Amino acid sequence: MPPMPSLMIPLLASSMPSLTQPALWPLSAIVFLPALVALILALPIIPKGREEFIRWIGLLTTAAVFALSLWMAVPALFGVPQAAQFSVGEAGMQGVVKLPWIEAFGIEYLLGVDGISMPLVVLTTFLSMLAAAASWPIGKHVKAYFVLFLLLETGMLGVFVALDFFLFYVFWEVMLLPMYFLIGIWGGPRREYAAIKFFLYTLLGSVLMLLAILMLYFASDLRALSDEQLLAAHVVSPALDGVARTEAMAVIHAAQAPLHTFNLMALAQIGQQPQSPFAAAQVWGMSLETWAFLLLLIGFVIKVPVVPVHTWLPDAHVEAPTPISMILAGVLLKLGGYGILRICYPICPGAGLSLAWLVCGLGVVSMVYGAFAALAQKDFKRMVAYSSVSHMGYVMLGLGVWSAVAGHEYRWEAWAQGVNGAMFQMLAHGISSAGMFFMVGVLYDRVHHRNLDEFGGIFNRLPVTSGLAIVVFFAGLGLPGLCGFIGEVLVTLASWNYSRGLAVISAFTVILTAAYILWAIQRVYLGAEYKGPHGEALTPITPRELSIAVPLVSLAILFGVAPQILFRYVTPTVNRQVETLADWTRRVHDARVVAPAGTASTATDPEAIR
Amino acid sequence: MNLGTLITGSLNDTLAVSLPLFRPELCLATTIVLLLLCRIVPLLRRLDSGIVALGGVCFALWFAWIDFRDLPGSLWLSSSAVQTISSRQEIFTGLLVFDSLTAYLRLLLAGFLVLYILFTKVSGIPDHEDGADFYTLVLGAAIGMCLMVSANHLLMLFMAVEMASVPSYALAGLLKGRKTSSEAAIKYAVYGAGSAGVMLYGISLLAGVLGTCHFPSMAAELARIAGAGGDGSMVLVLGGLMVAVGLAFKLSAVPFHFWCPDVFEGAAAEVGAFLSVASKAAAVALLLRVAFSLGVPPEGDGSMQVAQAQVLVALADTRHFMVYLIGLMAAVTCTLGNLAAYGQTNMKRLLAYSTIAHAGYLMMAVAAAVAMVGVAPAGARAAISAVVFYLGTYVFMNLGAFAIVALLRNKLRSEEISSYAGLVHSSPGIVVATAVVLVSLIGLPPLAGFVAKFLVFASLVEAIAVSAERPLMLVLLVVGGINTVVSLFYYLRVLKVMTFDPPPLDRVGESFSLVSLPGAVVTALVVPVVVLGLFWSSLYACAQLAGAFAF
């Protein structure tokens, strides 16, 4: 009788802290409150006819989640700081929640926030609240709409706070189905096509991501990490004290078989080791690291989206109802950038370095292509959708400028500037694109068309609406003093160090951006008189619409004037990650270049894969 | 050895060893007899045969559970309890084998039967008149399936397959007077008879060359032949291929799948549910059983370990052959199933192709398991666990899907996908349930189907890292991934019709509320799909236990 396989990895049982982790309830509530309300709403006890009641439930839920996330993110607003709250200016992972989930695979319920994810969480809850408010005109199946909407919010928030790769993937996929139905049921005339296209593209990306996750999982081994690294990665919870901690470490180091992990922080530690198993293993002539990086990158850039996998975006945006367009542009596109920053680079630094040209190139191509495509559009919403492609190109370029090596110098500052710029661009684009889509929606709700050529003279009829819209569009354009400017400038400056050509192109794209936005403003808002259809319906902006537009406009101005509000959160974490990776470049890359013989032997060793 | 000792010995073996481990099957057999007796006695004729069957199946479930619970290494075994069952036990003089795989699958089949009988009581097919026939056939086939999972002898393999198949042919023709149903039954029977004949020929070839039909002895003989220089290997390959034909027929693997869509379309949805879940589970288990019995030496005591290791090495060629056979069949089955499902307009036909595709995913994991036996036993165990976990979730997913088809048929009088148009307006609950089941079949989190697919892919990735058949495993992984994306189309199309399309003006029947008896059945099948997608530790622990059956 051979020994039975152990049914539980013992280390998890011993090192698991209890339910008293300070951030457990706040973070879990932020993620799961929407889903919980969605489940209650789905029950038959809530009558379908009470539409106004359901709308208010939806709005209040999103508002509560926003308040909770604000409580976490900005302790200064709420008196004495609690342990669960975010301490601004700290680089590390905070509010880590760690509970066992599937012990046989070491999968954990592992959540946490740092300077990269915290602002994105707040952006998500904020835009969800505004989108819920913008959902008032939705009159068809209100109950089902809000159930799906709230499920979508849970998925988005979960992706930003999950630190376990499996959990991350679950949340990533949870978003798909609600989005499919939200576009497919409440969308425009070609909604079915747009919905299936969105689903198909994203599912293709996520299947590739799943393969990458599995490759990394089976190549990982926790035993190779030092005690400090295990603590830093929260494999062994730092909350454990003396004896328990020593025991937990001993269990890991004494393990007979490799201990695989889904812990993103631990995977990053493993990937950045001098003898990284991800770099050593070979599959079809490329290192496993490169494969994983490429597969993950495809999964993420589909979401971003970059040219040539962007084609789902204009369709989805045009067909989706206004609030869903706001969520799509404001949050969903950020998931891709977030994934690249959080997962691709830290876990596969070697591939990131050698493929920096690919990421930057994709960024610049989308930037230019998106701008030209926007210039050519006749449909107002489609134009805004292509502007998203163009603007997210800056994010890609900023993330990609791996300029740690300039000649033989190591300067991480320029690179950090690029990543900071990309992060800022993501947040600013979240505000401005949501605002642009909302302002397009305001017009569409009145005149029921979006044909740029049939507009004109809106300013005379609706001065307040037009004023707000023009500010938002200028923010998208990147006018100094508004939020779009900071990110674009930082990215362009940073790319100079990496490649002058790319920097010049990205600087010139600003002119294209100005062209399509100014031209659109001219065609829609300026002019003598509105001659298009439904002119009689051009009623002034309602208080509800105002309460959505004004916060977006004020934030666009606020972040443009005082960008340090966001940089206080973003910079410490980004700088530390970039510094670590630059340091990695110095240590590992040089060693590999100097001594190729040493790496060759490990590369061909099949044992290393196990 | 005189006759007396022989009889005493075999009596002892039967009464003391074999029969106690055979209680679930005995329960089913007794129930069949009861069902038939009830017909003879006029007083009992009015008794509902479904209730009798349910009672018998519950007893079988209880005994199957006891057998599983008392397995060594099980989670529920208290340490103080006396160990009564060893991990692997040959019963009935080696014709059958009892081990953790037998126990797990018998539990699964018995549990399925309980759910299934409850569902058929609600769905109304069979009616009172047909009840005794129907449940007799179902339970008879179920005994055959239990024998399939525990077969340890070529003869038993053939008998078990036939015992599971013959009642199925009759079940397919259950809708008397319906032309498609009779056609399905004939088609099924002809195909079945053909493949059974081929398999029997293959069995005779294998038995002729190896001189034995007992799986472990066959493995030892194969190792000896391999060591001696491969005499007669051509005949062995031919025999192996022919046996594979029989198994592929039961698995509905391409190119022996042609019966499947016709039978599923022609037969009642209730019969489809039985064939697609129970029959498939038993066939996959039989495939595992044959592959591991012939590819791995039976475990012996400590002193034989060296010899065992030699046999394991000697059987590498056998395993290599099996990995390629199963793997290539899996890739083709999966792809063809998914592509063919795309054009279907009938829901049962679509589910038939979906069943074929899922057989492909299951066989991928079987191939990975066989590929890893020699090099990474832990990985092979994980791959087997993936297979049996998949089967565990498949019970709920596919029974749920067929239950929805059957119950909607009762309301709408149609099984065409187009007749489901706009169902979301009148019956949102059933649409949500369908969405859960179909999305789980696609394999998206947080549903059980995702976990199953995740485990299959995980075993393939592990096999890529360690096994000798690395290119094949890579191909399987890529094929599996592409197929997942392809399958999105046709599953979503059903949901699209249900939600996006306007309801037809001439819709017959009332709305379908989840707060009703049929609704409760659907809920009971759909809730586990969600729960197993979120909290799959305990089912996986059971699967791990079953995964350790061979070594």
Side-chain angles (χ1 to χ4, degrees):
Chain A
M1 168 73 211
M4 295 297 296
S6 70
L7 297 176
M8 190 190 287
I9 296 175
L11 81 108
L12 298 168
S14 61
S15 65
M16 206 47 70
S18 61
L19 293 175
T20 55
Q21 303 169 76
L24 173 62
W25 299 110
L27 258 187
S28 304
I30 289 175
V31 176
F32 289 107
L33 186 65
L36 192 70
V37 175
L39 284 186
I40 295 171
L41 269 185
L43 293 178
I45 49 168
I46 311 276
K48 268 193 210 169
R50 307 268 311 270
E51 294 182 348
E52 198 65 18
F53 173 69
I54 293 168
R55 286 186 185 118
W56 275 107
I57 294 268
L59 179 61
L60 289 178
T61 310
T62 50
V65 175
F66 172 60
L68 250 173
S69 67
L70 208 62
W71 176 82
M72 243 192 120
V74 196
L77 289 180
F78 297 88
V80 188
Q82 307 280 314
Q85 283 175 308
F86 192 81
S87 118
V88 185
E90 226 176 84
M93 201 50 82
Q94 303 180 37
V96 175
V97 174
K98 178 180 158 84
L99 288 174
W101 184 17
I102 310 295
E103 279 148 357
F105 279 80
I107 298 170
E108 293 170 329
Y109 177 66
L110 189 65
L111 309 179
V113 280
D114 63 3
I116 297 172
S117 50
M118 194 73 239
L120 287 166
V121 167
V122 179
L123 176 76
T124 308
T125 57
F126 176 66
L127 287 181
S128 296
M129 182 176 70
L130 294 188
S135 304
W136 240 257
I138 299 236
K140 198 165 71 167
H141 314 307
V142 175
K143 184 170 155 174
Y145 175 85
F146 274 99
V147 168
L148 292 168
F149 183 88
L150 292 173
L151 284 178
L152 177 69
E153 188 180 2
T154 286
M156 296 185 300
L157 288 168
V159 169
F160 285 130
V161 299
L163 292 177
D164 183 283
F165 217 160
F166 188 88
L167 188 64
F168 177 94
Y169 186 77
V170 168
F171 281 124
W172 183 271
E173 298 278 85
V174 161
M175 290 182 302
L176 286 186
L177 209 61
M179 195 42 117
Y180 170 73
F181 285 115
L182 285 170
I183 298 173
I185 299 179
W186 290 274
R190 288 172 71 235
R191 54 182 184 255
E192 288 174 19
Y193 170 76
I196 190 79
K197 196 166 175 184
F198 161 80
F199 205 146
L200 188 70
Y201 271 70
T202 323
L203 186 70
L204 179 69
S206 36
V207 166
L208 297 180
M209 200 195 298
L210 181 62
L211 301 188
I213 292 174
L214 287 168
M215 287 162 90
L216 291 172
Y217 173 75
F218 281 107
S220 66
D221 188 356
L222 285 178
R223 293 175 304 173
L225 294 181
S226 69
D227 286 3
E228 293 76 41
Q229 288 175 315
L230 289 173
L231 273 182
H234 289 267
V235 174
V236 174
S237 172
L240 285 181
D241 48 355
V243 183
R245 184 187 286 187
T246 325
E247 273 176 13
M249 299 283 182
V251 170
I252 292 175
H253 293 303
Q256 297 289 320
L259 284 175
H260 305 313
T261 183
F262 282 110
N263 183 323
L264 283 175
M265 296 174 284
L267 285 173
Q269 300 273 20
I270 295 169
Q272 291 169 19
Q273 280 175 330
Q275 297 296 326
S276 157
F278 306 151
Q282 297 281 315
V283 181
W284 272 340
M286 283 205 287
S287 73
L288 187 145
E289 189 178 39
T290 314
W291 276 108
F293 185 87
L294 280 176
L295 293 174
L296 290 170
L297 189 70
I298 296 172
F300 290 134
V301 297
I302 286 176
K303 213 64 165 199
V304 167
V306 302
V307 176
V309 284
H310 67 288
T311 54
W312 64 270
L313 180 108
D315 289 311
H317 269 309
V318 169
E319 300 308 325
T322 304
I324 301 309
S325 291
M326 289 168 68
I327 292 284
L328 259 176
V331 183
L332 251 71
L333 308 191
K334 310 302 170 294
L335 294 165
Y338 172 77
I340 294 172
L341 185 55
R342 165 77 77 220
I343 293 172
C344 284
Y345 281 122
I347 296 180
C348 313
L353 175 58
S354 50
L355 293 174
W357 57 271
L358 178 69
V359 179
C360 292
L362 284 174
V364 171
V365 168
S366 336
M367 211 185 277
V368 177
Y369 182 92
F372 272 116
L375 212 46
Q377 297 309 316
K378 294 263 181 267
D379 183 316
F380 200 4
K381 215 173 175 184
R382 224 178 160 81
M383 185 221 94
V384 179
Y386 274 109
S387 84
S388 282
V389 176
S390 178
H391 283 136
M392 291 307 285
Y394 283 98
V395 174
M396 291 294 290
L397 179 60
L399 293 177
V401 283
W402 196 296
S403 45
V405 197
H408 281 286
E409 287 176 66
Y410 291 93
R411 284 198 312 243
W412 60 273
E413 290 83 0
W415 183 20
Q417 193 184 28
V419 180
N420 277 316
M423 265 306 290
F424 195 93
Q425 173 77 353
M426 284 211 273
L427 297 164
H429 180 251
I431 302 285
S432 67
S433 67
M436 286 195 271
F437 277 115
F438 181 70
M439 297 321 294
V440 175
V442 166
L443 277 187
Y444 181 75
D445 283 345
R446 284 166 176 67
V447 298
H448 300 288
H449 77 90
R450 290 187 299 255
N451 191 343
L452 280 169
D453 293 336
E454 289 186 89
F455 280 112
I458 300 289
F459 195 89
N460 296 336
R461 302 285 297 273
L462 308 172
V464 179
T465 316
S466 307
L468 292 170
I470 287 170
V471 177
V472 166
F473 276 91
F474 276 145
L477 188 157
L479 199 71
L482 294 170
C483 63
F485 173 68
I486 316 282
E488 289 180 13
V489 139
L490 286 182
V491 168
T492 309
L493 287 180
S495 60
W496 180 260
N497 226 5
Y498 177 75
S499 153
R500 311 233 155 142
L502 292 184
V504 169
I505 297 174
S506 64
F508 270 105
T509 311
V510 175
I511 298 173
L512 288 175
T513 314
Y516 66 76
I517 287 198
L518 289 177
W519 194 26
I521 289 177
Q522 181 205 328
R523 282 187 289 177
V524 175
Y525 294 103
L526 307 182
E529 191 185 355
Y530 178 73
K531 291 187 188 121
H534 302 295
E536 72 290 347
L538 280 169
T539 48
I541 192 162
T542 64
R544 184 186 60 79
E545 289 167 339
L546 213 55
S547 67
I548 298 163
V550 167
L552 287 171
V553 169
S554 352
L555 282 182
I557 298 171
L558 180 69
F559 291 152
V561 179
Q564 64 274 24
I565 298 177
L566 293 179
F567 280 133
R568 277 177 62 211
Y569 286 85
V570 172
T571 312
T573 309
V574 165
N575 280 5
R576 197 179 72 162
Q577 174 165 333
V578 170
E579 214 179 331
T580 317
L581 288 178
D583 190 46
W584 174 90
T585 319
R586 180 178 314 161
R587 276 187 296 115
V588 177
H589 186 63
D590 280 5
R592 277 186 202 164
V593 171
V594 171
T599 46
S601 66
T602 51
T604 50
D605 182 10
E607 286 292 320
I609 308 169
R610 295 172 208 171
Chain B
M1 193 190 288
N2 65 26
L3 195 63
T5 44
L6 198 67
I7 291 173
T8 325
S10 76
L11 254 184
N12 254 340
D13 174 62
T14 307
L15 292 180
V17 181
S18 304
L19 283 181
L21 293 174
F22 202 58
R23 286 173 302 185
E25 286 90 340
L26 289 179
C27 277
L28 294 179
T30 316
T31 314
I32 292 178
V33 175
L34 275 180
L35 280 173
L36 296 176
L37 280 181
C38 283
R39 277 203 157 170
I40 299 169
V41 186
L43 199 67
L44 294 178
R45 203 170 294 163
R46 300 185 49 191
L47 191 67
D48 193 300
S49 44
I51 304 294
V52 178
L54 189 62
V57 168
C58 282
F59 272 106
L61 179 65
W62 171 246
F63 286 122
W65 162 244
I66 289 189
D67 285 347
F68 186 74
R69 188 193 62 188
D70 292 347
L71 282 173
S74 115
L75 288 179
W76 297 273
L77 195 68
S78 53
S79 50
S80 60
V82 183
Q83 191 71 53
T84 48
I85 306 174
S86 70
S87 65
R88 183 177 189 280
Q89 187 136 20
E90 293 197 341
I91 56 179
F92 296 113
T93 63
L95 284 174
L96 298 179
V97 62
F98 175 86
D99 55 22
S100 55
L101 183 71
T102 311
Y104 177 92
L105 270 148
R106 268 199 325 209
L107 184 64
L108 196 72
L109 285 171
F112 164 76
L113 283 176
V114 171
L115 291 172
Y116 179 70
I117 292 174
L118 284 173
F119 148 63
T120 52
K121 284 317 294 171
V122 173
S123 80
I125 286 184
D127 55 14
H128 187 80
E129 193 72 5
D130 283 338
D133 295 340
F134 181 82
Y135 292 116
T136 307
L137 290 170
V138 164
L139 296 186
I143 295 179
M145 289 164 192
C146 287
L147 296 179
M148 275 164 80
V149 290
S150 50
N152 195 37
H153 195 278
L154 278 178
L155 197 62
M156 216 48 227
L157 178 148
F158 182 75
M159 298 232 309
V161 167
E162 284 311 291
M163 188 156 178
S165 299
V166 173
S168 307
Y169 305 150
L171 278 175
L174 185 75
L175 298 174
K176 293 187 283 265
R178 187 90 74 78
K179 216 173 140 190
T180 49
S181 183
S182 317
E183 188 189 320
I186 287 285
K187 197 159 186 178
Y188 196 10
V190 170
Y191 262 100
S195 62
V198 174
M199 182 162 73
L200 199 56
Y201 194 76
I203 287 174
S204 66
L205 286 182
L206 287 182
V209 175
L210 299 174
T212 172
C213 289
H214 180 233
F215 286 160
S217 318
M218 285 169 71
E221 192 63 20
L222 277 171
R224 198 190 57 75
I225 291 178
D231 180 33
S233 59
M234 196 58 218
V235 182
L236 283 174
V237 167
L238 208 60
L241 283 175
M242 284 173 162
V243 172
V245 168
L247 294 180
F249 165 74
K250 287 307 286 177
L251 276 167
S252 64
V254 174
F256 305 99
H257 68 288
F258 292 103
W259 60 274
C260 186
D262 293 330
V263 169
F264 278 38
E265 188 183 4
E270 286 80 354
V271 176
F274 183 70
L275 294 181
S276 87
V277 180
S279 187
K280 179 127 312 169
V284 171
L286 183 59
L287 182 68
L288 274 175
R289 182 67 78 196
V290 172
F292 278 89
S293 302
L294 298 185
V296 184
E299 77 187 45
D301 45 23
S303 60
M304 307 233 318
Q305 264 176 2
V306 180
Q308 235 178 298
Q310 282 167 352
V311 174
L312 191 65
V313 174
L315 286 173
D317 286 344
T318 315
R319 287 197 301 271
H320 190 68
F321 170 69
M322 288 194 291
V323 169
Y324 267 87
L325 186 62
I326 299 171
L328 291 177
M329 215 182 242
V332 177
T333 303
C334 193
T335 311
L336 201 124
N338 277 323
L339 290 181
Y342 183 56
Q344 302 309 320
T345 56
N346 181 296
M347 188 64 187
K348 284 192 298 189
R349 231 180 144 80
L350 183 137
L351 284 176
Y353 281 111
S354 141
T355 306
I356 295 173
H358 282 271
Y361 296 123
L362 282 160
M363 285 160 73
M364 285 180 189
V366 175
V370 181
M372 281 190 282
V373 165
V375 279
R381 273 189 216 114
I384 302 170
S385 308
V387 174
V388 295
F389 184 94
Y390 206 124
L391 292 175
T393 59
Y394 198 66
V395 167
F396 295 105
M397 291 194 288
N398 244 31
L399 187 55
F402 277 100
I404 289 167
V405 173
L407 298 171
L408 278 181
R409 173 204 62 207
N410 291 352
K411 300 276 182 196
L412 304 173
R413 310 263 162 258
S414 167
E415 288 159 343
E416 294 298 314
I417 295 171
S418 55
S419 71
Y420 298 160
L423 213 56
V424 73
H425 301 290
S426 52
S427 329
I430 195 77
V431 174
V432 171
T434 318
V436 170
V437 166
L438 294 185
V439 172
S440 177
L441 285 170
I442 300 174
L444 291 185
L447 302 170
F450 161 68
V451 181
K453 207 166 254 181
F454 167 80
L455 292 172
V456 168
F457 287 177
S459 57
L460 285 172
V461 170
E462 214 175 350
I464 289 172
V466 297
S467 78
E469 290 86 359
R470 196 172 178 190
L472 179 71
M473 294 297 139
L474 263 172
V475 168
L476 287 182
L477 187 64
V478 172
V479 167
I482 293 173
N483 269 295
T484 302
V485 179
V486 171
S487 71
L488 174 78
F489 273 111
Y490 63 90
Y491 289 123
L492 266 193
R493 193 160 50 89
V494 179
L495 293 182
K496 189 209 82 151
V497 169
M498 283 181 159
T499 51
F500 299 178
D501 291 0
L505 295 173
D506 56 341
R507 161 147 301 156
V508 291
E510 68 277 40
S511 66
F512 190 117
S513 166
L514 279 191
V515 192
S516 63
L517 194 58
V521 169
V522 172
T523 313
L525 291 170
V526 166
V527 167
V529 174
V530 181
V531 173
L532 285 177
L534 290 173
F535 306 102
W536 41 283
S537 274
S538 31
L539 180 59
Y540 190 70
C542 297
Q544 276 186 313
L545 191 59
F549 80 96
F551 41 89

